């Protein structure tokens, strides 16, 4: 496999490895904290904070403990209350959307952007790739709020804003490219799937937060004396929720309020203890942290940041672990250390940042394009030649073995047991390996491509589904790595994919996607390939028969509860986009049987369509409790067995 360098990709990896090095080199240092708990008159327990915060000398800490331990009361010596404000957010740009999607919604940046683009194409939000955090003065904010006033989730808040007037937006940055990300059309919770709704919900609430007032609260700080030591008690009480009424995750919790205290009050001391602790290193960078660093140092653009993060993961330089934390692999660590040993500029963000500054000067008309281009190419050429001269330094670091199963392969899909990423080991026999569970799972060995199937999961074991494709003319199917290696139902053999699964509710199984009995074999079922858009096809789940249907259709679905009265095949629904319909009279959708409905039959590959008419028996059966299986209901004549009979049936 290729180990690559990129002027944005490598500094992105460098941030992750730098944090890893900080964690590995951290030396814990012990310290001690004095903790005191008191009770108010109504017996409410309060935990006080030591004014000294912590002490790194145990003997000194014990001395402080002795001065407090014998005390029975803590006296309030001062109480101050100040009105403060929690500022509402700036208008939403791409970087902030990716940051919140990762930290708050549990979505990877690239996955979040793909959902945002889908929402944009469906007309629900504005263009999601923008650097602007401020609306133009001419932008009609009130009209956007008015569109959302009938929504059951935030409609009341919209009506309150319209009645009381919108608050002035915060001063942000208008890049002049596109307006901030804005909801363009109202939609209900039930009209979008789970993750799509979560992202749309955040976009709407963020927008409403930008036109709401700031959150106002009173912060009370009470200082107390216990013996000769001072302790602090801090509380917050909301007076006007403002934008936190709609952006509830930023609301100040009621638990942060404290009871009324006055100077001179005495509170009963209930517990005094000295707690020993250790300093701890920072955690691994989360995707949100990394996006912030990339934006700060000018590494990548709002459009390319998710691509760079995805690249360092798919190329086995980093793995995404619990909490969306990016942990560099041995390969990523050695690669960055090798660059640092030869030429640190290749890893540091300054090199790419300098290029971005030059590009900005070109955009402003202050620099010549050809001059900047030739200068940049010359710099990278010299860097490359210098790197080649010092390549032995990289070789020395790569002497460590990478041949063990645990260190080979690239992160591919999530394990259903530990929820960590499994690695796809390309070496024959190809397989998936979970380093955490130390288990391997089989994958198809034929020549073809493997990719995640829309991040969907198997309902039986929670493994992420994988899509195998042997190309436009080959067979393709969805499979669960665990079920592929461990058949879950009687009659399913090892290597069976989702089209053979008889799970009653699985949206990928034969009960959901099966159409009819196979045209050639006795036991197979023709199943819709859900990922074959735009060259839709039916694939037999037993043999190699492929039937091409409804080319260029926008959507094809199997109507599970409706069968054809003539041949017992499941009815299908085909939908085209405006202007691209191949249906009579340019209809954009139609439901019917692909064998008996002439309008649909003519859109099925003719050689297969005629042979399918000759077969109504066979099929593995979809038995859904209605007394008839796939293609079994009427006992029609069998299809010809040999090729010559098939040809005769076709021409005659």
């Amino acid at each position: 496999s290729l180990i690559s360098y990129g002027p944005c990709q490598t500094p992105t990896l460098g941030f992750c490895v730098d944090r890893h090095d900080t964690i590995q080199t951290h030396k814990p240092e012990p310290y001690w904290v004095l903790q005191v708990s008191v009770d108010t008159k109504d017996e409410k327990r309060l935990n006080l904070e030591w004014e000294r915060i912590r002490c790194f000398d145990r003997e000194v800490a014990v001395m402080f403990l002795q001065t407090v331990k014998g005390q029975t009361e803590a006296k309030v010596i001062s109480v101050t209350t100040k009105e403060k404000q929690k500022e509402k957010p700036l208008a939403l740009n791409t970087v902030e959307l990716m940051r919140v999607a990762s930290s708050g919604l549990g979505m990877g940046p690239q996955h979040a952007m793909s959902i945002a683009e889908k929402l944009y194409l469906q007309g629900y939000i504005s263009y999601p790739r923008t650097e602007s955090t401020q609306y133009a003065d001419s932008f009609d904010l009130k009209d956007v709020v008015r569109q959302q006033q009938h929504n059951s989730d935030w409609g009341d808040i919209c009506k309150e804003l319209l009645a009381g007037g919108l608050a002035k937006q915060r001063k942000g940055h208008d890049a002049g490219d596109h307006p901030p990300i804005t909801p363009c059309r109202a939609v209900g919770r039930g009209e979008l799937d789970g993750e799509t709704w979560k992202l749309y919900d955040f976009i709407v609430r963020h927008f409403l937060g930008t036109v709401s007032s700031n959150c106002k609260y009173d912060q009370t700080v009470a200082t107390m004396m216990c013996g000769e030591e001072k302790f602090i008690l801090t509380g917050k009480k909301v007076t006007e929720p403002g934008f936190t009424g709609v952006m509830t995750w930023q609301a100040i919790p009621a638990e942060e309020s404290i009871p009324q205290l006055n100077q001179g009050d005495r509170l009963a001391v209930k517990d005094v203890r000295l707690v020993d602790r250790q300093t701890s290193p920072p955690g691994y960078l989360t995707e949100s942290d990394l996006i912030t660093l990339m934006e700060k140092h000018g590494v990548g653009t709002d459009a390319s940041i998710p691509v760079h993060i995805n690249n360092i993961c798919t190329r086995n330089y980093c793995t995404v672990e619990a909490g969306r934390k990016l942990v560099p692999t041995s390969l990523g660590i050695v690669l960055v250390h090798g660059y640092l040993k030869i030429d640190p500029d290749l890893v540091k963000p300054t090199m790419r940042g300098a290029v971005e500054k030059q590009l900005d000067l070109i955009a402003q008309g202050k620099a010549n394009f050809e001059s900047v281009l030739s200068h940049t190419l010359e710099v990278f050429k010299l860097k490359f030649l210098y790197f080649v001269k010092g390549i032995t330094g990289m070789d020395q670091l790569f002497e460590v073995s990478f041949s063990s199963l645990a260190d080979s392969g690239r992160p591919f899909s999530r394990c259903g047991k530990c929820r960590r990423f499994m690695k796809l080991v390309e070496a024959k026999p190809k397989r998936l390996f979970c380093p955490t569970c130390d288990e391997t799972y089989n994958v198809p060995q034929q020549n073809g491509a493997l990719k995640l199937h829309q991040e969907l999961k198997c309902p039986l074991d929670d493994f992420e589904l994988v899509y195998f494709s042997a190309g436009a003319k080959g067979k393709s199917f969805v499979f669960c790595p665990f079920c592929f290696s461990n058949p879950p139902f009687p009659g399913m053999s090892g290597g069976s994919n989702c089209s053979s699964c008889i799970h009653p509710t699985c949206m990928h199984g034969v009960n959901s996607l099966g159409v009819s009995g196979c045209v050639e074999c006795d036991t197979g079922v023709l199943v819709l390939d859900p990922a074959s858009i735009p060259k839709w096809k039916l694939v037999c789940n037993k043999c190699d028969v492929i039937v091409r249907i409804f080319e260029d259709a926008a959507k094809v679905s199997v109507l599970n509860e409706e069968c054809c009265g003539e041949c017992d095949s499941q009815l299908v629904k085909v939908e085209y986009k405006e202007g691209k319909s191949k249906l009579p009279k340019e209809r954009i959708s139609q439901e019917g049987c692909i064998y008996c409905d002439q309008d649909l039959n003519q859109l099925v590959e003719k050689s297969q369509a005629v042979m399918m008419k000759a077969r109504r028996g066979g099929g593995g059966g979809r038995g859904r409790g209605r007394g008839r299986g796939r293609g079994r209901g009427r006992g029609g004549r069998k299809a010809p067995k040999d090729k010559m009979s098939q040809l005769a049936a076709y021409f005659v």
Side-chain angles (χ1 to χ4, degrees):
S1 61
L2 181 68
I3 297 175
S4 56
Y5 171 83
C8 288
Q9 168 194 293
T10 304
T12 301
L13 175 61
F15 289 130
C16 300
V17 175
D18 180 63
R19 178 59 63 88
H20 170 81
D21 292 343
T22 302
I23 294 171
Q24 296 300 313
T25 56
H26 175 78
K27 294 181 179 179
E29 188 176 355
Y31 66 90
W32 290 262
V33 177
L34 190 56
Q35 292 183 344
V36 174
S37 298
V38 297
D39 276 359
T40 60
K41 293 178 180 179
D42 55 359
E43 297 185 351
K44 182 176 181 181
R45 183 63 55 90
L46 302 174
N47 297 316
L48 309 183
E49 295 179 9
W50 194 19
E51 189 185 45
R52 300 180 191 272
I53 302 175
R54 58 187 176 179
C55 178
F56 286 91
D57 189 315
R58 188 178 187 282
E59 292 183 358
V60 175
V62 170
M63 181 191 70
F64 288 130
L65 174 65
Q66 296 304 322
T67 65
V68 176
K69 199 167 186 180
Q71 303 298 317
T72 59
E73 289 183 334
K75 182 181 178 181
V76 180
I77 60 174
S78 69
V79 178
T80 58
T81 301
K82 293 182 179 179
E83 184 179 276
K84 293 196 172 185
Q85 293 190 20
K86 187 174 183 179
E87 205 167 30
K88 64 183 178 182
L90 290 167
L92 186 63
N93 65 0
T94 305
V95 172
E96 182 64 15
L97 175 67
M98 292 188 292
R99 195 156 39 212
V100 174
S102 175
S103 61
L105 305 180
M107 302 180 191
Q110 193 164 33
H111 180 52
M113 289 308 299
S114 67
I115 294 176
E117 286 169 0
K118 183 172 75 171
L119 286 170
Y120 165 68
L121 292 174
Q122 292 174 337
Y124 293 126
I125 64 171
S126 62
Y127 189 61
R129 298 190 183 277
T130 175
E131 297 178 4
S132 298
T133 57
Q134 180 178 336
Y135 292 99
D137 293 337
S138 59
F139 194 93
D140 192 351
L141 299 171
K142 188 173 289 187
D143 183 61
V144 179
V145 177
R146 198 177 292 115
Q147 290 178 10
Q148 300 289 338
Q149 64 181 328
H150 300 297
N151 186 282
S152 59
D153 290 279
W154 48 74
D156 292 341
I157 295 173
C158 293
K159 291 173 183 176
E160 289 177 12
L161 288 171
L162 292 170
L166 307 186
K168 186 177 180 181
Q169 61 174 319
R170 275 180 62 187
K171 181 69 175 177
H173 169 64
D174 186 358
D177 52 354
H178 299 280
I181 303 172
T182 312
C184 295
R185 201 173 79 191
V187 61
R189 182 186 292 268
E191 298 176 55
L192 300 174
D193 61 65
E195 289 192 325
T196 307
W197 169 258
K198 282 165 62 177
L199 195 66
Y200 178 79
D201 177 80
F202 164 71
I203 291 170
V204 175
R205 290 181 182 275
H206 190 283
F207 169 77
L208 295 176
T210 62
V211 295
S212 300
S213 59
N214 291 337
C215 172
K216 296 181 181 180
Y217 62 93
D218 291 334
Q219 179 171 285
T220 301
V221 179
T223 306
M224 306 182 194
M225 289 294 294
C226 187
E228 298 179 4
E229 288 301 300
K230 284 185 179 181
F231 293 87
I232 306 296
L233 181 65
T234 304
K236 297 176 181 177
K237 184 178 181 181
V238 176
T239 55
E240 292 182 25
F243 76 96
T244 61
V246 63
M247 299 178 70
T248 52
W249 60 92
Q250 292 199 22
I252 298 172
E255 295 77 25
E256 291 194 27
S257 63
I258 60 174
Q260 179 70 36
L261 295 174
N262 299 306
Q263 186 174 348
D265 287 349
R266 294 181 181 272
L267 307 178
V269 175
K270 291 298 180 181
D271 186 37
V272 177
R273 65 178 64 185
L274 191 65
V275 181
D276 60 318
R277 294 177 180 169
Q278 283 186 332
T279 57
S280 58
Y284 281 100
L285 289 178
T286 62
E287 289 171 330
S288 179
D289 298 331
L290 183 57
I291 291 169
T292 302
L293 286 171
M294 294 174 73
E295 183 188 31
K296 177 182 177 181
H297 293 279
V299 177
T301 64
D302 55 353
S304 64
I305 283 176
V307 177
H308 301 316
I309 296 176
N310 185 65
N311 283 344
I312 65 174
C313 294
T314 57
R315 293 171 183 174
N316 198 25
Y317 301 149
C318 277
T319 59
V320 182
E321 299 197 353
R324 308 298 304 181
K325 291 181 179 178
L326 295 164
V327 180
T329 62
S330 298
L331 175 61
I333 293 167
V334 172
L335 189 61
V336 169
H337 288 174
Y339 285 129
L340 289 171
K341 187 174 182 179
I342 300 170
D343 186 355
D345 285 344
L346 295 175
V347 178
K348 293 180 179 178
T350 51
M351 195 168 166
R352 179 65 191 180
V355 175
E356 291 292 342
K357 289 179 180 178
Q358 294 292 320
L359 296 177
D360 288 339
L361 292 175
I362 294 174
Q364 296 167 13
K366 297 179 180 179
N368 179 264
F369 168 75
E370 295 295 339
S371 300
V372 172
L373 177 62
S374 60
H375 171 72
T376 304
L377 289 175
E378 184 65 20
V379 169
F380 276 93
K381 177 183 176 182
L382 294 174
K383 288 285 185 185
F384 172 75
L385 295 174
Y386 182 76
F387 180 80
V388 171
K389 290 180 181 179
I391 194 67
T392 52
M394 182 72 81
D395 291 338
Q396 292 171 2
L397 290 173
F398 268 88
E399 285 178 0
V400 63
S401 174
F402 286 97
S403 59
S404 68
L405 191 62
D407 294 329
S408 63
R410 58 184 175 88
F412 188 73
S413 65
R414 287 189 184 275
C415 170
K417 297 180 179 179
C418 64
R419 303 304 306 140
R420 305 291 180 87
F421 273 96
M422 298 189 292
K423 295 181 177 182
L424 178 62
V425 181
E426 299 284 357
K428 293 184 178 180
K430 188 184 295 185
R431 59 221 182 270
L432 284 168
F433 172 69
C434 179
T436 306
C437 303
D438 199 25
E439 293 186 27
T440 58
Y441 302 96
N442 298 330
V443 298
Q445 299 299 314
Q446 306 98 305
N447 292 329
L450 294 172
K451 65 178 182 180
L452 278 182
H453 183 53
Q454 304 169 6
E455 296 191 6
L456 298 173
K457 299 173 185 176
C458 175
L460 287 172
D461 47 50
D462 214 30
F463 276 66
E464 284 188 326
L465 299 179
V466 180
Y467 182 73
F468 170 80
S469 174
K473 297 183 178 180
K475 193 172 181 179
S476 55
F477 50 81
V478 177
F479 71 97
C480 163
F482 187 84
C483 297
F484 195 84
S485 304
N486 307 279
F489 298 109
M492 287 183 66
S493 59
S496 295
N497 56 65
C498 292
S499 65
S500 300
C501 179
I502 58 173
H503 190 284
T505 62
C506 179
M507 60 183 292
H508 319 289
V510 66
N511 281 323
S512 298
L513 299 177
V515 175
S516 73
C518 180
V519 299
E520 289 190 8
C521 67
D522 291 326
T523 58
V525 176
L526 291 175
V527 181
L528 176 67
D529 181 352
S532 57
I533 183 175
K535 298 182 181 295
W536 295 95
K537 56 187 176 183
L538 302 176
V539 180
C540 178
N541 61 3
K542 298 294 182 182
C543 67
D544 293 330
V545 167
I546 299 173
V547 180
R548 306 190 184 282
I549 58 173
F550 312 131
E551 187 172 353
D552 296 329
K555 183 179 180 181
V556 176
S557 53
V558 180
L559 304 179
N560 292 317
E561 301 303 324
E562 299 182 43
C563 294
C564 175
E566 296 293 326
C567 65
D568 270 349
S569 298
Q570 293 299 124
L571 301 186
V572 299
K573 181 178 181 180
V574 57
E575 299 175 54
Y576 287 90
K577 292 183 179 179
E578 290 283 353
K580 294 188 176 181
S581 176
K582 295 183 179 181
L583 294 168
K585 299 181 181 179
E586 296 188 355
R587 293 193 298 271
I588 61 172
S589 68
Q590 185 165 328
E591 299 177 5
C593 174
I594 61 172
Y595 310 129
C596 306
D597 188 317
Q598 292 301 315
D599 292 341
L600 298 184
N601 182 260
Q602 65 181 353
L603 300 178
V604 179
E605 198 170 84
K606 283 296 181 182
S607 59
Q608 294 287 0
V610 175
M611 287 193 291
M612 284 189 290
K613 284 184 178 180
R615 177 168 184 76
R616 291 163 62 184
R622 292 202 344 171
R624 296 185 304 277
R626 299 192 305 202
R628 57 186 181 185
R630 172 69 55 202
R632 283 182 175 175
R634 298 177 182 266
R637 70 175 187 270
K638 289 188 176 181
K641 291 285 185 183
D642 58 282
K643 294 293 181 182
M644 292 303 294
S645 298
Q646 289 179 5
L647 289 173
Y650 177 80
F651 288 107
V652 176

